[in-house]
Amino acid sequence: MMDGVAASDKMRVLLFSFFSLCSGSITVIFGCFDSVEMGGGSLTYFTSLAGLAAAATTTAAMAPAGAAADFFKMPLCGRSFRLEEASIDDMQKAMGNGTVTAVQLVECYAQRVLQTDDYINSLLEFNPDALDIAANLDRERRAGKVRGPMHGIPFTVKENIGTKDKMETTAGSWALLGSRVPRDAFVVKKLREAGGVLLGKATLSEWADMRSNNYSEGYSARGGQARSPYNFTVNPGGSSSGSAIGVAANAVAVSLGTETDGSVINPAMRNSVVGFKPTVGLTSRAGVVPETEHQDTVGTFGRSVRDAVYTLDAIYGKDQRDNYTLAQQSPRGGYTQFLTNKRALRGAAFGLPWQCFWRHADPEQLRQLTALLDLIKEAGATIINGTEITDYETIVSPDWWDWDWGTRRGYPNESEYTVVAVDFYNNINIYLSELDNTDIRSLEDIVQYNYDNDGTEGGNPWPLGNPAFYSGQDGFLASLATKGIQDETYWQALEFTQTKTRKGIDDALNYKGKKLNGLLVPPAVGQSYQISAQAGYPIITLPAGIHSATGMPFGLAILQTAWAESELIKFGSAIEDLQKTTAGNQYKRSLPTWEGYKKKPIPLLNIYEGSD
């Protein structure tokens, strides 16, 4: 109970930060809420603890009388600022002219979290320092100092990205609760220095999907089940689930996620936001709970390409604690300079790997995506069909995303999973060795913890353990069996997966001696981003449509070669501009519909619309 009002554990975490600042009376510099009008109107201030607690708890628990979209309607921020779908540029303009402050943006996004999180569960932990950080940045602005486009902008990070503050870094597992990281992850440090306000930690699939091979996407023991605001009953995409969901639901401006194989692109595509996965080595992994050094990367989520790129510009760079970054090829002046509009499509040429990926898409997705391709051609671009990945018959699974496809066809020395299993054993042990205040020092310790806490952590397969971890911890056990030994099979698998996929993409990008501006692919067909992941190459996905059967979004993605982020930004922003400025075009980002908002199934239905 809190001032006589029951509150969920998640609500207590959120409210504590406000209560600790307000102490029963208003603190002028931070401005806590007096009442929260969830159906619209402006945000006001509160003078008692009961004001926020009652408003937030009542709103989260009440049964909607009208349509779901009306129930989740977003109020104005301050007296007049429309925060819903606001871009970073919109927020900067509003802060620049005094319409809102960074403190108010934090308050308004906190209000949105209170309104939605009992439903979608996008935020695992609220940063109790967020208002202090925002207030300091407001003081800087008043003194004439603006650090850049991220100044005062609230962001979240996936909960496997380390922060040296009052928050936890556990990868969603109870096993690491209370452990302390030695420092902020490099990308967090950079984003703080750029003026971003860390709002909190986003929910995720536990251990970034490494622990289990049959599981409920978006679930972790510590964070619970994240749900897409487009449909609460089906796979929301992962493992950076909460990062994508929070941005999609307008519960935060932008977010950071991590990807080994699809964990940025998949949830972005399934929640109608932009997802940008850079070349391995462009963004440091230091301070991030690892999976495999050969494929892990930190990516960005935004409601627009520009917002995702502003965030990327803030986090990329060389880091002595991640030697992969020392070889990066990045432009002087950052990546924002490559943002364009639809005019850039005139004379552009794109490849379409039909046999590799497009033929696996279902008819409804093909109909909508080909209509978008027609728009791109009408804007002056050439799209060349049949630009296939070399040896796709061997390296691309004919069924679906399958990171053990090599083993399944009889060649573990050609399998991505062979590499990941060995790398995880070694990489996680190195990560754990730097933590303080924990007895968890090895993968063996994690596995034993899951057995000892079977009901929550699902050490055993269902019907023992936890239904969200249907196959138990088979991913961990597969890694444990390797003991991290880099034997001949391992080295052959690493050589095969990297060399074949890199050559395959590079060959497809060079059509009859002409270098193409990208390969257009349907990311709902998971093999598309899987080939990019194995290569360590960059990819961007744009919102492109909605599947009628489930209401779940899908996207259009662009593949490129190593360090070609500038090309992805140039043509991603051009296509997005075309989507937004073409009268009557429906193939673009759409607002959540909150389908099934009263339903709470676990596990979620593992439906992948748009793939055969």
Side-chain angles (χ1 to χ4, degrees):
M1 301 294 290
M2 191 173 293
D3 284 332
V5 179
S8 67
D9 291 339
K10 181 70 64 60
M11 197 74 69
R12 289 191 188 96
V13 174
L14 290 165
L15 297 180
F16 175 77
S17 60
F18 291 96
F19 294 159
S20 63
L21 292 168
C22 297
S23 301
S25 62
I26 188 168
T27 301
V28 176
I29 201 167
F30 295 107
C32 302
F33 315 134
D34 177 46
S35 63
V36 182
E37 299 178 33
M38 305 315 251
S42 62
L43 181 149
T44 55
Y45 295 93
F46 82 90
T47 54
S48 69
L49 303 184
L52 177 61
T57 306
T58 301
T59 304
M62 66 185 288
D70 291 337
F71 176 58
F72 292 103
K73 184 179 179 181
M74 199 167 175
L76 295 175
C77 185
R79 296 187 180 279
S80 60
F81 183 60
R82 181 177 173 83
L83 186 56
E84 184 177 42
E85 294 295 284
S87 68
I88 288 176
D89 285 346
D90 292 334
M91 295 179 214
Q92 288 298 344
K93 181 179 178 180
M95 286 188 284
N97 64 27
T99 301
V100 294
T101 64
V103 164
Q104 285 178 302
L105 289 179
V106 169
E107 291 173 336
C108 293
Y109 275 128
Q111 174 188 355
R112 181 63 165 174
V113 171
L114 292 170
Q115 179 190 17
T116 62
D117 224 41
D118 273 353
Y119 296 89
I120 58 175
N121 195 27
S122 66
L123 194 70
L124 196 155
E125 185 171 3
F126 187 83
N127 182 9
D129 296 326
L131 289 171
D132 279 324
I133 295 167
N136 288 333
L137 290 164
D138 281 336
R139 282 192 284 270
E140 286 188 11
R141 187 182 293 272
R142 289 194 296 271
K145 178 183 178 181
V146 177
R147 301 186 190 188
M150 294 304 297
H151 190 108
I153 302 299
F155 71 96
T156 59
V157 300
K158 188 177 180 179
E159 202 266 356
N160 64 344
I161 299 176
T163 58
K164 182 73 170 176
D165 52 17
K166 298 184 179 83
M167 293 187 290
E168 303 276 354
T169 304
T170 68
S173 170
W174 291 117
L176 292 186
L177 190 70
S179 65
R180 305 306 300 160
V181 298
R183 64 192 71 85
D184 272 349
F186 183 79
V187 292
V188 173
K189 175 177 177 288
K190 293 268 288 180
L191 199 40
R192 290 190 201 266
E193 291 171 350
V197 181
L198 180 54
L199 188 70
K201 296 286 192 81
T203 49
L204 74 166
S205 302
E206 187 171 315
W207 295 105
D209 287 340
M210 182 63 207
R211 54 153 297 148
S212 306
N213 288 310
N214 188 351
Y215 54 91
S216 188
E217 190 76 88
Y219 183 90
S220 70
R222 181 166 174 255
Q225 181 66 62
R227 299 178 189 277
S228 171
Y230 294 86
N231 189 323
F232 285 47
T233 66
V234 302
N235 179 350
S239 62
S240 305
S241 309
S243 295
I245 291 167
V247 173
N250 281 279
V252 73
V254 291
S255 189
L256 301 186
T258 66
E259 174 161 328
T260 301
D261 188 337
S263 290
V264 167
I265 298 303
N266 177 263
M269 174 266 299
R270 291 183 67 76
N271 288 280
S272 199
V273 296
V274 173
F276 198 110
K277 189 215 83 170
T279 305
V280 172
L282 187 66
T283 53
S284 171
R285 291 82 53 87
V288 178
V289 180
E291 200 157 312
T292 167
E293 64 190 81
H294 294 102
Q295 293 180 201
D296 289 352
T297 189
V298 178
T300 63
F301 296 89
R303 286 182 292 273
S304 68
V305 174
R306 179 173 291 272
D307 285 0
V309 173
Y310 279 152
T311 312
L312 177 67
D313 257 353
I315 65 171
Y316 83 89
K318 295 181 179 179
D319 176 17
Q320 294 299 320
R321 289 192 172 90
D322 183 350
N323 64 339
Y324 281 66
T325 66
L326 304 182
Q328 68 180 234
Q329 301 172 25
S330 53
R332 182 173 298 179
Y335 287 99
T336 304
Q337 63 183 302
F338 298 108
L339 291 163
T340 58
N341 57 39
K342 61 187 178 184
R343 289 192 296 274
L345 293 171
R346 297 172 188 165
F350 301 101
L352 208 69
W354 186 269
Q355 293 299 322
C356 300
F357 310 126
W358 284 86
R359 69 187 178 95
H360 297 295
D362 76 3
E364 182 175 13
Q365 183 186 185
L366 282 176
R367 177 182 58 78
Q368 295 188 50
L369 288 181
T370 52
L372 178 55
L373 295 180
D374 287 341
L375 280 181
I376 295 171
K377 288 188 287 187
E378 290 169 9
T382 299
I383 297 178
I384 303 167
N385 201 352
T387 53
E388 307 299 342
I389 306 296
T390 305
D391 290 335
Y392 75 88
E393 301 93 339
T394 300
I395 65 176
V396 177
S397 165
D399 304 317
W400 175 237
W401 180 96
D402 183 354
W403 65 352
D404 205 15
W405 167 234
T407 301
R408 196 153 67 86
R409 56 187 176 80
Y411 297 95
N413 62 335
E414 297 179 359
S415 174
E416 174 188 356
Y417 196 54
T418 297
V419 176
V420 172
V422 172
D423 282 355
F424 181 73
Y425 185 92
N426 296 317
N427 294 166
I428 194 62
N429 288 349
I430 293 170
Y431 174 85
L432 294 172
S433 71
E434 285 202 305
L435 300 183
D436 289 330
N437 197 41
T438 181
D439 295 327
I440 303 296
R441 294 297 177 191
S442 66
L443 178 56
E444 287 84 353
D445 292 341
I446 298 171
V447 167
Q448 190 58 52
Y449 183 92
N450 291 345
Y451 282 135
D452 293 343
N453 297 272
D454 200 24
T456 53
E457 286 291 355
N460 289 295
W462 185 254
L464 301 174
N466 185 320
F469 304 127
Y470 195 84
S471 61
Q473 53 182 331
D474 56 329
F476 280 172
L477 296 177
S479 180
L480 192 62
T482 73
K483 294 297 181 183
I485 298 172
Q486 297 174 333
D487 58 15
E488 184 179 4
T489 300
Y490 167 86
W491 290 113
Q492 288 178 356
L494 178 60
E495 171 71 14
F496 181 89
T497 53
Q498 286 189 338
T499 302
K500 283 287 190 179
T501 55
R502 290 172 182 177
K503 184 180 188 301
I505 293 173
D506 291 345
D507 286 350
L509 284 167
N510 288 275
Y511 180 75
K512 295 184 178 180
K514 178 181 180 181
K515 186 163 177 53
L516 302 178
N517 297 116
L519 301 177
L520 302 177
V521 300
V525 177
Q527 299 96 312
S528 61
Y529 55 71
Q530 181 167 36
I531 295 301
S532 177
Q534 292 176 13
Y537 282 2
I539 178 174
I540 189 172
T541 184
L542 310 172
I546 298 289
H547 204 283
S548 63
T550 60
M552 288 295 288
F554 54 83
L556 176 69
I558 312 174
L559 303 185
Q560 256 295 351
T561 190
W563 316 116
E565 281 78 6
S566 59
E567 287 286 288
L568 294 182
I569 293 164
K570 177 179 180 179
F571 293 106
S573 57
I575 293 171
E576 180 185 69
D577 181 58
L578 177 68
Q579 292 174 296
K580 292 180 176 181
T581 60
T582 300
N585 174 53
Q586 59 184 311
Y587 310 117
K588 58 184 178 180
R589 169 166 165 76
S590 58
L591 287 171
T593 53
W594 311 92
E595 177 69 27
Y597 64 89
K598 291 185 178 181
K599 298 178 181 179
K600 292 277 190 176
I602 294 179
L604 295 179
L605 296 173
N606 202 24
I607 296 174
Y608 285 93
E609 312 83 349
S611 180
D612 62 1

